[in-house]
Amino acid sequence: MSFKKSLSGIKVRHCKNTAGATVEILPVPDIVVLPMQQHMGTPCDVKVSVGDEVKVGQIVGDSASFVSAPIHASVSGKVIRIEDYVSPMGIASKAVVIESDKKQERDPNIAPPVINGYNDFLKAVRASGLVGLGGAGFPTHVKLKPRGRVDTLVINAAECEPYITSDHHIAMMELDFLHSGITEIKKYLDISRVIVGVEDNKPDLITALEDYFSYNDSVTVKKLRSKYPQGAEKVLVYETTGRIIAEGMLPADVGVVVMNINSICFMARYLQNGVPLVKRTLTIDGGAIANPKVVTVPLGTPYKDLFDFCGGFKSEPRKIIMGGPMMGITVYDFNSPVLKNNNAVLVFDQAQIDGFEESACIRCGRCVRACPFNLMPAALEKARIAEDLDELRNLKVNLCMECGCCSYVCPAKRNLVTSNKMAKKLLREKGGLK
Amino acid sequence: MDTKKLMVIAPSPHFRDKVTTTSVMRDVVIALLPALYASAYHFGTRALLLAAVCVISCVLFEALYNIVVGRKQTIGDLSAVVTGLLLAFNLPPMIPIYIAVVGCFVAIVIAKQLFGGIGQNFANPAILGRVVLLVSYSQAMTTWYIPHPAGRVVELVSGATPLGTLTSGGTLNLSYADMFLGIGKGGCIGEGCGLAIIIGFAYLLIRRIITPTIPVAFVATSMFFSLVLGQDPIAHLLTGGLLLGAVFMATDYSTSPVTEKGKLIFGIGCGFLTVIIRIFGSYPEGVSFAILLMNIVAPHIDRLTKTKAFGGVYDEK
């Protein structure tokens, strides 16, 4: 059709130190902490009481709401506390604390789901507890019930954040599950085209996918330039299908369902064995970690167990990041639990937190050139400081996906993306943003 | 393990580019070094003395200003060094030192610091410094010398620079090659050698300090209009401060538009005004005035060239 211009973005150090590692399994932790809100949507209600014996896979939290996902016990043992918990994002909920008996006995009620039709399928996916494992944590069954007709499934294997390798490892190991997951989704949605988007810094995964799906005409592998943030939903849909998710639209409005590769693999496995989401694989890395690893851990495992498993610290830890360095959230507590959407834990040392002091904007325009969505971050910051709501709306601060490219490139180290987040909050409070 | 220190809580991103304001300014200084070398080659130690005086005065004025008004010290960002070098490059070689110092005061204190420091100035400090000197000390600012590199002697020329000759309709007795290299060409100390400026330009592009839009639009437009008005476009390009202005002065971040579209308009405006002033104005050189005038309209260009967001839905106007 027309000449397609690829979106901006930034070249960022890959730091995929654990790409060649073998996935290791963490010994069962002494306790796990299971917050009742690990997803976007309604928090779960606690379904167990202190003193209850629980088995792996047993429901400990659920909600009557559709946009929610149940929480399952990730270890067998005894509920010792139900405590108040505040997530690194600042969301408060209850958390169920289970002391492990180290036996990891499975809930005897676990069985493959019986599926007769689309509604059963959605119910099963909801019952699995699955949320987007790539980071956003949106309940998967909601995505699988798109508004309007969809014809394309875009599978996100971009993994554009530095350090993170968990999707890469899962995909390499679980191509059969990926295939079966795609088949299941195609049964219920009228998908004619499946595109797997992978950044070209993972040539082994690209080759493996191309080989695996070489006989399958409906699945194509799209090699993406390694340019952050290729894995952001709107960017990925545009780069793989050329479709533009305009302001106010969802991927479904342009006929696309986007799913993380790891999420699809898990879903397929659940449909076969009925074991809900009780563990996940994540990358543990960063300048302070002695031996960076990719580890499969029960959900709710306290971070300090991960650090111990990785040989502790080789330099003094100064910053703990849940997620990647571009969009991850800092955590102050070594006992913070691994959440469903937690694809990495990074620990940075002093050298990695230096050089962040802000100085005056020199109007160099780097932020404008870096923004994948063509926003003007420096101008937005000025408008935000002046509380010029009209200007914030005209400059479309609501479209900012908070990828952080602007702050990354700023020579004056201004916290531009933070300013955009504050601007959105300002508009929400003053009634200017839906 | 020692975890007594509290963990740092900070907003993302937790990675930052290595480029800093200081590294940007350092790159600009490096890009100016070939022209500095050329000025020393043509005008001898006098050029180096002028450059040193201007750099030191600019840095001192900025430091003093910050101390007097109680602001955080900013001389570490090296922007005053860039201003000093650029102002020196825009001065004739034998100008009295005190006049150069006055120019530095105007550039740093009046044009830059009084407006809020780096990024806030409405006009390029070095250009404003030069323009104030030009109207205040017209005699000293238009007394030219021809360089004789062999013996490093400079000789007073009665009459005009090549550009002056050119714009008043005279014929030049210099070859294009001499003009390009600055051989036997009177003028400001930094503008003589086109080759040195182009080397600096290439360095700025490679280091991604500037985009080529403004210099290319500026130069192409002036060549086009000088041709239209019946003058030699190559001579216009190679004499006077066109290259120096287009590469180093018009590209000043603070005083040029942010978007590429804005930069294009800005560059074309600079080029057009330069030729108009050169050919019809009372001064032989129009580069400084052209850039200064465009500096003033830059905020308006910015306002008219806002980007359209990807997927943005705009009200029909």
Side-chain angles (χ1 to χ4, degrees), chain A residues 7 12-13 15 162-163 238 244 246-247 313 316-321 325-328 330-332 334 348 353 356-357 359 361-366 368-369 373-376 391 394-396 399 404 407-408 411-413 415 417-418 421, chain B residues 1-22 24-25 72 116 118-120 207-211 253-260 263 298 302-303 305-315:
Chain A
L7 298 178
V12 49
R13 314 189 277 292
C15 302
Y163 286 106
Y238 179 71
I244 296 171
E247 197 173 351
F313 303 113
E316 190 186 11
R318 297 295 289 122
K319 195 190 240 180
I320 304 173
I321 302 160
M326 293 304 296
M327 288 185 80
T330 47
V331 173
Y332 61 87
F334 282 77
F348 281 6
I353 66 170
F356 281 59
E357 202 190 337
S359 55
C361 169
I362 58 171
R363 285 176 43 89
C364 64
R366 281 176 172 75
V368 181
R369 291 197 292 275
F373 291 169
N374 273 335
L375 302 178
M376 304 183 77
E391 183 73 349
N394 291 338
L395 292 173
K396 299 288 180 197
L399 290 178
S407 298
Y408 177 86
K413 311 296 155 201
N415 287 309
V417 70
T418 313
K421 292 177 195 175
Chain B
M1 84 193 160
D2 176 25
T3 55
K4 269 174 290 181
K5 262 193 191 166
L6 290 177
M7 293 299 111
V8 172
I9 297 295
S12 60
H14 310 287
F15 257 15
R16 296 299 174 97
D17 199 1
K18 285 192 290 289
V19 175
T20 62
T21 303
T22 308
V24 168
M25 295 302 160
K72 219 177 132 223
I118 190 167
Q120 300 292 324
R207 300 283 295 166
R208 293 174 183 270
I209 302 298
I210 59 169
T211 62
Y253 291 150
S254 307
T255 55
S256 62
V258 165
T259 63
E260 292 305 303
K263 289 185 203 296
D302 259 342
R303 223 180 42 210
T305 54
K306 283 175 191 160
T307 56
K308 285 267 179 269
F310 174 78
V313 177
Y314 294 87
D315 297 336

Side-chain angles (χ1 to χ4, degrees), chain B residues 19-96:
Chain B
V19 175
T20 62
T21 303
T22 308
S23 80
V24 168
M25 295 302 160
R26 193 186 303 126
D27 275 339
V28 178
V29 171
I30 292 170
L32 285 166
L33 290 181
L36 182 65
Y37 175 81
S39 74
Y41 178 82
H42 289 306
F43 296 103
T45 47
R46 179 73 194 177
L48 291 178
L49 175 70
L50 264 185
V53 165
C54 286
V55 167
I56 292 168
S57 325
C58 282
V59 172
L60 276 181
F61 281 130
E62 183 163 322
L64 283 174
Y65 181 90
N66 285 330
I67 292 168
V68 169
V69 301
R71 277 208 196 125
K72 219 177 132 223
Q73 198 49 267
T74 49
I75 53 170
D77 66 26
L78 301 184
S79 61
V81 176
V82 172
T83 302
L85 274 177
L86 283 175
L87 181 60
F89 283 6
N90 276 281
L91 298 175
M94 301 309 283
I95 192 155

Side-chain angles (χ1 to χ4, degrees), chain A residues 29-46:
Chain A
D30 296 336
I31 62 158
V32 293
V33 179
L34 301 169
M36 291 296 106
Q37 175 122 44
Q38 303 189 31
H39 49 264
M40 287 197 211
T42 317
C44 293
D45 302 320
V46 176

